[in-house]
Amino acid sequence: MANNQKVQEITNMDKDFAQWYTDVVLKTEMADYSPVRGFMVIRPYGYAIWENIQKAYDKRFKDTGHKNIYFPLLIPESLLEKEAEHVEGFAPEVAWVTHGGHEKLEERLCIRPTSETIMCSMYSKWLRSWRELPYLYNQWNNVVRWEKSTRPFLRTSEFLWQEGHTLHETAEEAQAETLQMLGIYREIAEEFLAIPMVVGRKSDKEKFAGAAATYTMEALMHDGKALQSGTSHNLGQHFTKAFDITFTGRTGEIENPYHTSWGVSTRLIGGLIMVHGDNNGLVVPPKIAPTQIVIIPIAQHKEGVLDKAYDLKKELEKNFRVEIDDSDEYSPGWKFNQWEMKGVPIRLEIGPRDIKNNQVVLARRDKNEKVSVSLDTINEDIEKLLEDIQSSLFEKAKKMRDEKTYVAKNMDELENIIKNTPGFVKSMWCGDAECEQKIKEQTGATIRCIPFEQEDLGTEECVCCSGKSEKMVYLARAY
């Protein structure tokens, strides 16, 4: 007999967004807390989403000439200290290995917070001539940054990511690489995750430790907070000089190459949840959904229903990622709610009446709409529906972002917006670090980026000091 037990309830996002987020992560079995504080276990469903994100990015990296590589987890303290600004930026978050078995190590080893130092130490050993450039290397790995306050996917002491580290003959080539990778980050985020991004340059205060310039893509979450979703850094020659990476140039002179690094992480999954999710749980865009279609047999105990459902699965999985829920423990209604909570784009219902009429019922997760389609055209109909769901999710997210994007011309307006209607705030900024700090202290908002696409806000006065300004910035509180 079917169990009519109710699917676990999820907190209303408008009442308690933080608890809603935690409920979604745990109850959809995306991740769980581990015995080590600040470290999460990524469960199969969450990891399958990460794998699909990873595949999309990895293909674009390889399309643009990059190769994957792998470097050790542990980095000698002496290497970390070679670039002073870098070590100062990461020192509070570094985890150290001090013993091997029972023996104290002669030199402490840090668990990588990022790999610039160890990769540069090897690049120094390998590089000889300009003919070997560019180095276009990327690695998929984990890093550890000892965070004080953590939340699954958004900020954990260990996370999964990719980090690209490239070397170039000229400054122009390095800058082109930096912007190209930011463009790829945005492309996949928008086309696959259906998350609209604002792209631009970080302020000097917000840039990566040791970078000449940091570029970012920023997304707006449902609660009006920003999420830094991917960064690309032009590191100039800071690290290549510190690590004595040299090559013989075209004129025979010894030169230092120019260096970039760039990364996206499992934080994107947190963004996915907070942009597309609703009070029923996850909503996963079809292009990265582990399961694009779940088949729910109706009255599956009746003759021919399960056989037809399995035949249908066999046919559909030639083109789509398909699961069938044939468990007899729960009722169809319970299954509807369970798979809705997991955010599967399409639920396919098939029962005796549908078989008789040569049709199935398709329910789309994003709009909670149902439609009957003929079995004769089911592949074409599902393909069109998935495409529509993908584009609709992007447009819905873009509409939400645009509706929560405001303009502030002075501190009173800025404080009011941040406090009462949080979102992105477009303002002018004079470029002074003191104004940037004052904005943060008074409002809790930070400069998310100086966007590439500048706009006329009808004023040239800094939002903080009223001084002359040429830069429009995006401000927001952020995760």
Side-chain angles (χ1 to χ4, degrees), residues 116 120 165-167 174 233-236 239-240 257-261:
E116 277 79 4
C120 283
H165 295 268
T166 69
L167 297 180
H233 315 287
N234 186 333
L235 301 176
F239 287 89
T240 61
Y258 294 83
H259 181 195
T260 81
S261 72

Side-chain angles (χ1 to χ4, degrees), residues 107-211:
E107 180 180 12
R108 292 196 303 174
L109 301 173
C110 85
I111 301 175
R112 63 175 168 233
T114 181
S115 299
E116 277 79 4
T117 54
I118 195 165
M119 294 181 80
C120 283
S121 72
M122 298 307 296
Y123 287 177
S124 175
K125 179 180 178 180
W126 298 338
L127 183 61
R128 292 290 175 266
S129 167
W130 65 270
R131 291 181 176 85
E132 300 166 27
L133 293 171
Y135 275 17
L136 302 176
Y137 296 140
N138 169 69
Q139 64 170 341
W140 294 93
N141 61 15
N142 63 334
V143 291
V144 171
R145 299 177 185 176
W146 212 264
E147 299 281 0
K148 292 179 180 178
S149 178
T150 60
R151 190 177 297 178
F153 294 115
L154 293 176
R155 190 173 293 277
T156 48
S157 292
E158 179 195 31
F159 56 87
L160 305 183
W161 75 341
Q162 57 74 213
E163 47 178 326
H165 295 268
T166 69
L167 297 180
H168 303 267
E169 185 180 1
T170 68
E172 293 76 16
E173 289 175 3
Q175 179 66 3
E177 168 77 2
T178 306
L179 296 180
Q180 173 186 244
M181 300 320 294
L182 183 70
I184 288 173
Y185 283 168
R186 181 183 190 176
E187 172 194 325
I188 299 300
E190 294 190 341
E191 291 185 14
F192 282 74
L193 282 80
I195 301 177
M197 294 289 174
V198 172
V199 293
R201 180 172 174 161
K202 284 286 190 184
S203 67
D204 285 345
K205 182 178 181 297
E206 294 288 327
K207 72 181 181 181
F208 179 75

